[in-house]
Amino acid sequence: MSTYTLTYFNGRGRGELTRLILVSAAVQFEDVRVTWPDDWPGTAQADSPLGQLPYLTIDGIKITQSLAIARLVAKRFNLAGSDDLEQAKTDAVVDTITDLQNAFYLVAFKDEPDALIAKFIAEDANTHLERIEKIVTLYGTEGYSVGSSLKWSDLHLFDITSTFLALDVNILDKYPRIQAVRRTVESNDKIQAYLKDRPETSF
Amino acid sequence: MPSYKLTYFNGRGRAELTRLIFAAAGAQFEDERVADWPGTAKADAPLGQLPYLTVDGVKVPQSLAFARLVARRFNMTGSDDLEQAKTDAVVDSVSDLQNAYYLKVFKAKEDRDAVVAQFLAEDAVSHLEKVEKIVTLYGTEGYSVGSSLTWSDLHLFDVTSTVMTLNANLLDKYPRIQAVRKTVESNEKVSAYLKSRPETPF
């Protein structure tokens, strides 16, 4: 049995996807939440492989880069797809969602983000959401982004679109397949229990 | 025998990594280079973007997703899932540099000189330091992960080649990055490919 320690800030950000994967697979893990300015930068940054968070420690080995981490645990716990082509489709969905996440982070963490965020929601978000709707329609079935069983791409879709729904409750109105995937994730027993208990954080 | 068709513009950009993987594997693929864009080519693309790979009739967009698939099939992703995760992590760190280049330098217009100067002084240094660090952590001399050629070596070679066009001395402080480049350049199949590939502006 491997031991897993996830080290990230006290927030969802780039750490939440791996938390959701481990939770849905019912895998025990240590959820280390680094606070700043007490721990970060300080010793916590020195301990991280590239001076960044998150990283995952598996049996003493540190793996960095949030998607590399997430893919590893998704594969180990059968959430990545049943063959290499399905895994490629899952990777493609994940990357399309990450394009939205990265574009948003470019504006969201600036000093005075409110106007930039409003502009992003009004102008840029839909370009990305249309692509996500398109790719899950291409590769998935009703309620699943790829194939017909839960994948890490469903969890990533849920995680990232949750942020946008909090900014605009109607933002997914035009995207029924995205909504269907969200319902699948929300109605998953283990995820439901986790979502009730997880800390409320600002990001 | 699976059939592979790669569809992209006539350039290196986000497709060259997969071309290098095919070359290193000695594998056949159709190298479709779109001249008429958007045209019908955009409608044919799954997300209206290039590149995409068609594998036995199934279209896969997102350059890293299909690069990983091809690398997997030709045994260039690492020997077990942990090594594959390390390879993914190196690829992502190299992509951080590539994306910064595309975001700033590739798009720059009238202010290009200032943008390039800032990129070289700040972004390039920050990302290259991380790449040097991660290949030192996960690899051995000449390899970014473990001790055999993986797709992360090819991605490192490809992206640093592009960024070096801005400054030929850019990698002077990064010996492990240089060593990986030497491995890739001296690979028989890759060097034959590099000699014969078309010269393109990007």
Side-chain angles (χ1 to χ4, degrees):
Chain A
M1 269 288 283
S2 290
T3 62
Y4 299 93
T5 302
L6 178 69
T7 306
Y8 190 55
F9 300 108
N10 183 28
R12 287 160 284 111
R14 295 193 189 278
E16 194 64 9
L17 174 56
T18 294
R19 294 188 187 114
L20 289 167
I21 294 167
L22 291 168
V23 160
S24 63
V27 174
Q28 292 300 317
F29 70 104
E30 196 186 345
D31 186 16
V32 173
R33 290 168 182 254
V34 166
T35 55
W36 89 89
D38 297 340
D39 306 317
W40 186 272
T43 50
Q45 184 169 41
D47 285 346
S48 64
L50 294 182
Q52 296 172 307
L53 300 181
Y55 64 94
L56 185 73
T57 311
I58 306 175
D59 301 329
I61 297 172
K62 292 176 181 173
I63 303 293
T64 181
Q65 291 289 1
S66 61
L67 295 181
I69 292 166
R71 183 176 301 104
L72 171 64
V73 294
K75 269 159 62 170
R76 283 195 171 185
F77 301 110
N78 298 312
L79 286 162
S82 53
D83 61 25
D84 60 4
L85 193 55
E86 218 184 36
Q87 287 174 17
K89 291 176 182 176
T90 309
D91 283 346
V93 175
V94 165
D95 285 354
T96 305
I97 297 163
T98 304
D99 284 346
L100 170 59
Q101 181 185 24
N102 287 339
F104 181 65
Y105 283 174
L106 281 178
V107 303
F109 291 105
K110 292 209 149 61
D111 282 336
E112 304 210 357
D114 293 353
L116 292 170
I117 290 176
K119 182 173 191 291
F120 185 87
I121 298 285
E123 295 174 15
D124 305 283
N126 277 304
T127 305
H128 294 285
L129 289 167
E130 275 166 18
R131 289 193 187 119
I132 296 168
E133 180 78 4
K134 216 169 177 183
I135 201 173
V136 308
T137 304
L138 180 64
Y139 290 157
T141 55
E142 183 73 14
Y144 298 100
S145 58
V146 177
S148 48
S149 61
L150 190 73
K151 309 270 183 315
W152 66 300
S153 46
D154 300 317
L155 301 175
H156 194 37
L157 182 153
F158 170 79
D159 186 34
I160 300 309
T161 57
S162 296
T163 297
F164 289 97
L165 277 175
L167 295 167
D168 173 359
V169 299
N170 300 123
I171 202 169
L172 299 182
D173 285 1
K174 292 187 287 180
Y175 309 113
R177 296 294 286 263
I178 293 177
Q179 293 182 47
V181 172
R182 284 187 57 84
R183 276 195 292 279
T184 301
V185 173
E186 280 167 339
S187 59
N188 176 289
D189 271 10
K190 302 189 189 78
I191 300 285
Q192 256 184 28
Y194 170 73
L195 292 176
K196 281 203 189 75
D197 285 339
R198 78 174 171 185
E200 278 277 327
T201 53
S202 58
F203 63 96
Chain B
M1 268 289 284
S3 72
Y4 300 100
K5 182 171 78 169
L6 176 63
T7 305
Y8 191 54
F9 304 109
N10 182 26
R12 288 163 283 109
R14 292 192 186 279
E16 195 64 10
L17 170 57
T18 297
R19 295 191 186 112
L20 287 165
I21 297 168
F22 280 125
Q28 293 302 316
F29 72 106
E30 191 187 336
D31 187 14
E32 182 176 40
R33 292 171 185 249
V34 168
D36 180 30
W37 182 269
T40 50
K42 190 174 165 79
D44 286 344
L47 297 180
Q49 296 172 307
L50 299 183
Y52 65 93
L53 185 74
T54 310
V55 184
D56 294 334
V58 177
K59 292 177 180 175
V60 184
Q62 294 290 1
S63 59
L64 295 182
F66 64 71
R68 183 177 299 105
L69 172 65
V70 176
R72 253 290 282 262
R73 287 191 169 187
F74 297 107
N75 297 310
M76 276 187 279
T77 53
S79 53
D80 60 21
D81 63 359
L82 198 53
E83 225 185 36
Q84 287 168 14
K86 291 175 182 176
T87 311
D88 283 346
V90 175
V91 165
D92 285 354
S93 296
V94 171
S95 290
D96 284 346
L97 171 63
Q98 182 183 39
N99 288 334
Y101 175 84
Y102 282 155
L103 195 63
K104 298 192 173 179
V105 176
F106 195 70
K107 293 199 166 97
K109 296 185 169 37
E110 304 84 29
D111 56 346
R112 192 172 195 278
D113 288 348
V115 168
V116 167
Q118 188 260 343
F119 174 82
L120 288 173
E122 292 169 21
D123 303 82
V125 170
S126 163
H127 292 296
L128 286 168
E129 276 173 5
K130 291 189 179 115
V131 173
E132 181 78 3
K133 216 168 177 179
I134 200 173
V135 307
T136 306
L137 180 64
Y138 291 154
T140 56
E141 183 73 13
Y143 299 100
S144 58
V145 177
S147 48
S148 61
L149 189 73
T150 52
W151 68 304
S152 46
D153 300 320
L154 300 174
H155 194 37
L156 182 154
F157 171 80
D158 185 39
V159 172
T160 55
S161 297
T162 295
V163 182
M164 278 168 81
T165 61
L166 301 176
N167 176 355
N169 301 320
L170 190 63
L171 302 183
D172 285 1
K173 290 190 288 181
Y174 310 113
R176 295 295 286 263
I177 293 176
Q178 291 182 48
V180 172
R181 284 185 57 84
K182 282 201 274 285
T183 300
V184 173
E185 281 167 337
S186 58
N187 176 289
E188 264 191 65
K189 298 195 187 82
V190 175
S191 68
Y193 168 72
L194 294 176
K195 284 201 187 77
S196 65
R197 74 175 172 184
E199 278 276 329
T200 53
F202 65 93

mmCIF file of all heavy atoms in Angstrom, chain B residues 32-65:
data_model
loop_
_atom_site.group_PDB
_atom_site.id
_atom_site.type_symbol
_atom_site.label_atom_id
_atom_site.label_comp_id
_atom_site.label_asym_id
_atom_site.label_seq_id
_atom_site.Cartn_x
_atom_site.Cartn_y
_atom_site.Cartn_z
ATOM 1 N N GLU B 32 0.256 16.043 -42.470
ATOM 2 C CA GLU B 32 -0.583 16.978 -43.218
ATOM 3 C C GLU B 32 -0.321 18.412 -42.771
ATOM 4 O O GLU B 32 -0.456 18.742 -41.589
ATOM 5 C CB GLU B 32 -2.068 16.629 -43.008
ATOM 6 C CG GLU B 32 -3.010 17.532 -43.806
ATOM 7 C CD GLU B 32 -4.482 17.155 -43.684
ATOM 8 O OE1 GLU B 32 -4.909 16.790 -42.554
ATOM 9 O OE2 GLU B 32 -5.210 17.235 -44.693
ATOM 10 N N ARG B 33 0.034 19.262 -43.730
ATOM 11 C CA ARG B 33 0.326 20.678 -43.421
ATOM 12 C C ARG B 33 -0.698 21.559 -44.131
ATOM 13 O O ARG B 33 -0.721 21.638 -45.343
ATOM 14 C CB ARG B 33 1.755 21.019 -43.840
ATOM 15 C CG ARG B 33 2.787 20.300 -42.973
ATOM 16 C CD ARG B 33 4.228 20.403 -43.452
ATOM 17 N NE ARG B 33 5.105 19.595 -42.634
ATOM 18 C CZ ARG B 33 6.038 20.084 -41.786
ATOM 19 N NH1 ARG B 33 6.211 21.392 -41.663
ATOM 20 N NH2 ARG B 33 6.788 19.261 -41.079
ATOM 21 N N VAL B 34 -1.525 22.213 -43.317
ATOM 22 C CA VAL B 34 -2.659 22.991 -43.829
ATOM 23 C C VAL B 34 -2.194 24.347 -44.329
ATOM 24 O O VAL B 34 -1.562 25.111 -43.597
ATOM 25 C CB VAL B 34 -3.701 23.173 -42.706
ATOM 26 C CG1 VAL B 34 -4.746 24.200 -43.079
ATOM 27 C CG2 VAL B 34 -4.344 21.842 -42.354
ATOM 28 N N ALA B 35 -2.512 24.648 -45.591
ATOM 29 C CA ALA B 35 -2.170 25.964 -46.136
ATOM 30 C C ALA B 35 -3.385 26.882 -46.120
ATOM 31 O O ALA B 35 -3.272 28.096 -45.952
ATOM 32 C CB ALA B 35 -1.659 25.811 -47.566
ATOM 33 N N ASP B 36 -4.564 26.303 -46.288
ATOM 34 C CA ASP B 36 -5.797 27.080 -46.451
ATOM 35 C C ASP B 36 -6.578 27.105 -45.138
ATOM 36 O O ASP B 36 -7.395 26.233 -44.865
ATOM 37 C CB ASP B 36 -6.631 26.424 -47.569
ATOM 38 C CG ASP B 36 -7.928 27.163 -47.805
ATOM 39 O OD1 ASP B 36 -7.951 28.398 -47.590
ATOM 40 O OD2 ASP B 36 -8.904 26.512 -48.209
ATOM 41 N N TRP B 37 -6.322 28.102 -44.304
ATOM 42 C CA TRP B 37 -6.956 28.212 -42.974
ATOM 43 C C TRP B 37 -7.640 29.562 -42.867
ATOM 44 O O TRP B 37 -7.042 30.576 -43.222
ATOM 45 C CB TRP B 37 -5.888 28.055 -41.899
ATOM 46 C CG TRP B 37 -6.423 28.101 -40.496
ATOM 47 C CD1 TRP B 37 -6.559 29.218 -39.711
ATOM 48 C CD2 TRP B 37 -6.945 27.004 -39.743
ATOM 49 N NE1 TRP B 37 -7.108 28.867 -38.498
ATOM 50 C CE2 TRP B 37 -7.366 27.520 -38.486
ATOM 51 C CE3 TRP B 37 -7.112 25.639 -39.997
ATOM 52 C CZ2 TRP B 37 -7.918 26.705 -37.487
ATOM 53 C CZ3 TRP B 37 -7.651 24.844 -39.003
ATOM 54 C CH2 TRP B 37 -8.051 25.381 -37.757
ATOM 55 N N PRO B 38 -8.886 29.634 -42.337
ATOM 56 C CA PRO B 38 -9.669 28.529 -41.776
ATOM 57 C C PRO B 38 -10.186 27.535 -42.839
ATOM 58 O O PRO B 38 -9.991 26.335 -42.670
ATOM 59 C CB PRO B 38 -10.818 29.215 -41.067
ATOM 60 C CG PRO B 38 -10.684 30.667 -41.287
ATOM 61 C CD PRO B 38 -9.489 30.944 -42.120
ATOM 62 N N GLY B 39 -10.818 27.976 -43.837
ATOM 63 C CA GLY B 39 -11.307 27.083 -44.900
ATOM 64 C C GLY B 39 -12.046 25.870 -44.348
ATOM 65 O O GLY B 39 -12.672 25.931 -43.288
ATOM 66 N N THR B 40 -11.936 24.772 -45.038
ATOM 67 C CA THR B 40 -12.611 23.554 -44.581
ATOM 68 C C THR B 40 -11.829 22.908 -43.441
ATOM 69 O O THR B 40 -12.372 22.156 -42.636
ATOM 70 C CB THR B 40 -12.738 22.527 -45.709
ATOM 71 O OG1 THR B 40 -11.453 22.367 -46.307
ATOM 72 C CG2 THR B 40 -13.743 22.963 -46.750
ATOM 73 N N ALA B 41 -10.527 23.210 -43.359
ATOM 74 C CA ALA B 41 -9.670 22.578 -42.358
ATOM 75 C C ALA B 41 -10.133 22.889 -40.941
ATOM 76 O O ALA B 41 -10.064 22.042 -40.053
ATOM 77 C CB ALA B 41 -8.224 23.020 -42.558
ATOM 78 N N LYS B 42 -10.633 24.116 -40.720
ATOM 79 C CA LYS B 42 -11.072 24.482 -39.377
ATOM 80 C C LYS B 42 -12.337 23.715 -39.004
ATOM 81 O O LYS B 42 -12.478 23.231 -37.883
ATOM 82 C CB LYS B 42 -11.320 25.985 -39.278
ATOM 83 C CG LYS B 42 -11.549 26.478 -37.850
ATOM 84 C CD LYS B 42 -11.635 28.010 -37.818
ATOM 85 C CE LYS B 42 -12.202 28.540 -36.521
ATOM 86 N NZ LYS B 42 -11.217 28.570 -35.423
ATOM 87 N N ALA B 43 -13.236 23.571 -39.979
ATOM 88 C CA ALA B 43 -14.463 22.816 -39.716
ATOM 89 C C ALA B 43 -14.161 21.346 -39.436
ATOM 90 O O ALA B 43 -14.865 20.688 -38.667
ATOM 91 C CB ALA B 43 -15.408 22.948 -40.898
ATOM 92 N N ASP B 44 -13.104 20.832 -40.041
ATOM 93 C CA ASP B 44 -12.724 19.429 -39.845
ATOM 94 C C ASP B 44 -12.054 19.181 -38.509
ATOM 95 O O ASP B 44 -11.951 18.032 -38.064
ATOM 96 C CB ASP B 44 -11.758 18.971 -40.960
ATOM 97 C CG ASP B 44 -12.467 18.772 -42.283
ATOM 98 O OD1 ASP B 44 -13.714 18.692 -42.296
ATOM 99 O OD2 ASP B 44 -11.761 18.706 -43.317
ATOM 100 N N ALA B 45 -11.527 20.250 -37.887
ATOM 101 C CA ALA B 45 -10.792 20.083 -36.631
ATOM 102 C C ALA B 45 -11.779 19.956 -35.473
ATOM 103 O O ALA B 45 -12.709 20.746 -35.375
ATOM 104 C CB ALA B 45 -9.876 21.284 -36.410
ATOM 105 N N PRO B 46 -11.551 18.976 -34.578
ATOM 106 C CA PRO B 46 -12.537 18.712 -33.508
ATOM 107 C C PRO B 46 -12.912 19.938 -32.688
ATOM 108 O O PRO B 46 -14.070 20.110 -32.323
ATOM 109 C CB PRO B 46 -11.850 17.668 -32.630
ATOM 110 C CG PRO B 46 -10.831 17.025 -33.489
ATOM 111 C CD PRO B 46 -10.412 18.049 -34.499
ATOM 112 N N LEU B 47 -11.931 20.791 -32.376
ATOM 113 C CA LEU B 47 -12.211 21.980 -31.577
ATOM 114 C C LEU B 47 -11.951 23.256 -32.375
ATOM 115 O O LEU B 47 -11.791 24.322 -31.807
ATOM 116 C CB LEU B 47 -11.341 21.979 -30.309
ATOM 117 C CG LEU B 47 -11.583 20.839 -29.325
ATOM 118 C CD1 LEU B 47 -10.661 20.978 -28.124
ATOM 119 C CD2 LEU B 47 -13.021 20.800 -28.869
ATOM 120 N N GLY B 48 -11.890 23.118 -33.690
ATOM 121 C CA GLY B 48 -11.604 24.286 -34.518
ATOM 122 C C GLY B 48 -10.190 24.783 -34.376
ATOM 123 O O GLY B 48 -9.891 25.931 -34.692
ATOM 124 N N GLN B 49 -9.300 23.951 -33.864
ATOM 125 C CA GLN B 49 -7.912 24.355 -33.633
ATOM 126 C C GLN B 49 -6.962 23.294 -34.186
ATOM 127 O O GLN B 49 -7.328 22.128 -34.345
ATOM 128 C CB GLN B 49 -7.627 24.488 -32.120
ATOM 129 C CG GLN B 49 -8.402 25.571 -31.410
ATOM 130 C CD GLN B 49 -8.209 25.514 -29.903
ATOM 131 O OE1 GLN B 49 -8.404 24.484 -29.281
ATOM 132 N NE2 GLN B 49 -7.854 26.642 -29.306
ATOM 133 N N LEU B 50 -5.723 23.710 -34.429
ATOM 134 C CA LEU B 50 -4.671 22.765 -34.827
ATOM 135 C C LEU B 50 -3.587 22.795 -33.756
ATOM 136 O O LEU B 50 -3.383 23.839 -33.129
ATOM 137 C CB LEU B 50 -4.085 23.167 -36.188
ATOM 138 C CG LEU B 50 -5.044 23.199 -37.384
ATOM 139 C CD1 LEU B 50 -4.270 23.539 -38.661
ATOM 140 C CD2 LEU B 50 -5.788 21.889 -37.525
ATOM 141 N N PRO B 51 -2.865 21.693 -33.548
ATOM 142 C CA PRO B 51 -2.939 20.452 -34.297
ATOM 143 C C PRO B 51 -3.959 19.455 -33.759
ATOM 144 O O PRO B 51 -4.487 19.642 -32.666
ATOM 145 C CB PRO B 51 -1.529 19.866 -34.070
ATOM 146 C CG PRO B 51 -1.166 20.314 -32.695
ATOM 147 C CD PRO B 51 -1.780 21.698 -32.537
ATOM 148 N N TYR B 52 -4.240 18.427 -34.520
ATOM 149 C CA TYR B 52 -4.919 17.243 -34.008
ATOM 150 C C TYR B 52 -4.324 16.028 -34.709
ATOM 151 O O TYR B 52 -3.706 16.145 -35.766
ATOM 152 C CB TYR B 52 -6.447 17.314 -34.183
ATOM 153 C CG TYR B 52 -6.975 17.332 -35.603
ATOM 154 C CD1 TYR B 52 -7.348 16.161 -36.252
ATOM 155 C CD2 TYR B 52 -7.150 18.551 -36.267
ATOM 156 C CE1 TYR B 52 -7.859 16.195 -37.548
ATOM 157 C CE2 TYR B 52 -7.661 18.594 -37.554
ATOM 158 C CZ TYR B 52 -8.015 17.425 -38.193
ATOM 159 O OH TYR B 52 -8.517 17.456 -39.475
ATOM 160 N N LEU B 53 -4.480 14.882 -34.069
ATOM 161 C CA LEU B 53 -3.953 13.626 -34.598
ATOM 162 C C LEU B 53 -5.140 12.721 -34.916
ATOM 163 O O LEU B 53 -6.074 12.636 -34.122
ATOM 164 C CB LEU B 53 -3.054 12.946 -33.558
ATOM 165 C CG LEU B 53 -2.338 11.676 -34.018
ATOM 166 C CD1 LEU B 53 -1.182 12.039 -34.960
ATOM 167 C CD2 LEU B 53 -1.814 10.896 -32.825
ATOM 168 N N THR B 54 -5.126 12.097 -36.071
ATOM 169 C CA THR B 54 -6.160 11.118 -36.408
ATOM 170 C C THR B 54 -5.540 9.730 -36.293
ATOM 171 O O THR B 54 -4.561 9.417 -36.989
ATOM 172 C CB THR B 54 -6.723 11.355 -37.823
ATOM 173 O OG1 THR B 54 -7.091 12.728 -37.959
ATOM 174 C CG2 THR B 54 -7.968 10.497 -38.054
ATOM 175 N N VAL B 55 -6.072 8.943 -35.374
ATOM 176 C CA VAL B 55 -5.549 7.610 -35.079
ATOM 177 C C VAL B 55 -6.606 6.591 -35.493
ATOM 178 O O VAL B 55 -7.659 6.513 -34.853
ATOM 179 C CB VAL B 55 -5.304 7.445 -33.558
ATOM 180 C CG1 VAL B 55 -4.673 6.103 -33.252
ATOM 181 C CG2 VAL B 55 -4.450 8.566 -33.023
ATOM 182 N N ASP B 56 -6.356 5.840 -36.557
ATOM 183 C CA ASP B 56 -7.357 4.876 -37.055
ATOM 184 C C ASP B 56 -8.731 5.545 -37.165
ATOM 185 O O ASP B 56 -9.737 5.002 -36.708
ATOM 186 C CB ASP B 56 -7.449 3.663 -36.104
ATOM 187 C CG ASP B 56 -6.170 2.846 -36.104
ATOM 188 O OD1 ASP B 56 -5.443 2.883 -37.115
ATOM 189 O OD2 ASP B 56 -5.895 2.182 -35.091
ATOM 190 N N GLY B 57 -8.753 6.740 -37.721
ATOM 191 C CA GLY B 57 -10.023 7.431 -37.954
ATOM 192 C C GLY B 57 -10.550 8.231 -36.779
ATOM 193 O O GLY B 57 -11.490 9.013 -36.948
ATOM 194 N N VAL B 58 -9.983 8.075 -35.586
ATOM 195 C CA VAL B 58 -10.444 8.825 -34.407
ATOM 196 C C VAL B 58 -9.588 10.086 -34.264
ATOM 197 O O VAL B 58 -8.365 10.001 -34.201
ATOM 198 C CB VAL B 58 -10.328 7.977 -33.122
ATOM 199 C CG1 VAL B 58 -10.739 8.797 -31.900
ATOM 200 C CG2 VAL B 58 -11.171 6.712 -33.234
ATOM 201 N N LYS B 59 -10.249 11.247 -34.192
ATOM 202 C CA LYS B 59 -9.512 12.508 -34.080
ATOM 203 C C LYS B 59 -9.265 12.873 -32.617
ATOM 204 O O LYS B 59 -10.202 12.904 -31.812
ATOM 205 C CB LYS B 59 -10.301 13.648 -34.758
ATOM 206 C CG LYS B 59 -10.382 13.509 -36.265
ATOM 207 C CD LYS B 59 -11.226 14.617 -36.880
ATOM 208 C CE LYS B 59 -11.303 14.453 -38.398
ATOM 209 N NZ LYS B 59 -12.216 15.432 -39.019
ATOM 210 N N VAL B 60 -8.005 13.188 -32.288
ATOM 211 C CA VAL B 60 -7.644 13.605 -30.939
ATOM 212 C C VAL B 60 -6.992 14.986 -31.003
ATOM 213 O O VAL B 60 -5.918 15.130 -31.587
ATOM 214 C CB VAL B 60 -6.665 12.608 -30.270
ATOM 215 C CG1 VAL B 60 -6.379 13.020 -28.825
ATOM 216 C CG2 VAL B 60 -7.214 11.188 -30.328
ATOM 217 N N PRO B 61 -7.631 16.016 -30.423
ATOM 218 C CA PRO B 61 -6.984 17.326 -30.364
ATOM 219 C C PRO B 61 -6.100 17.417 -29.131
ATOM 220 O O PRO B 61 -5.985 16.443 -28.388
ATOM 221 C CB PRO B 61 -8.177 18.275 -30.244
ATOM 222 C CG PRO B 61 -9.166 17.498 -29.435
ATOM 223 C CD PRO B 61 -8.964 16.050 -29.797
ATOM 224 N N GLN B 62 -5.528 18.612 -28.892
ATOM 225 C CA GLN B 62 -4.675 18.896 -27.730
ATOM 226 C C GLN B 62 -3.312 18.210 -27.899
ATOM 227 O O GLN B 62 -3.145 17.004 -27.700
ATOM 228 C CB GLN B 62 -5.343 18.480 -26.400
ATOM 229 C CG GLN B 62 -6.576 19.302 -26.070
ATOM 230 C CD GLN B 62 -6.249 20.764 -25.684
ATOM 231 O OE1 GLN B 62 -5.088 21.187 -25.680
ATOM 232 N NE2 GLN B 62 -7.264 21.547 -25.397
ATOM 233 N N SER B 63 -2.339 19.043 -28.228
ATOM 234 C CA SER B 63 -1.038 18.536 -28.672
ATOM 235 C C SER B 63 -0.355 17.621 -27.666
ATOM 236 O O SER B 63 0.287 16.641 -28.056
ATOM 237 C CB SER B 63 -0.110 19.694 -29.034
ATOM 238 O OG SER B 63 0.080 20.556 -27.938
ATOM 239 N N LEU B 64 -0.473 17.906 -26.367
ATOM 240 C CA LEU B 64 0.215 17.061 -25.395
ATOM 241 C C LEU B 64 -0.526 15.741 -25.181
ATOM 242 O O LEU B 64 0.099 14.712 -24.907
ATOM 243 C CB LEU B 64 0.412 17.802 -24.065
ATOM 244 C CG LEU B 64 1.333 19.015 -24.137
ATOM 245 C CD1 LEU B 64 1.495 19.646 -22.758
ATOM 246 C CD2 LEU B 64 2.717 18.656 -24.692
ATOM 247 N N ALA B 65 -1.841 15.761 -25.317
ATOM 248 C CA ALA B 65 -2.621 14.525 -25.155
ATOM 249 C C ALA B 65 -2.222 13.514 -26.233
ATOM 250 O O ALA B 65 -1.974 12.334 -25.934
ATOM 251 C CB ALA B 65 -4.114 14.827 -25.219
#
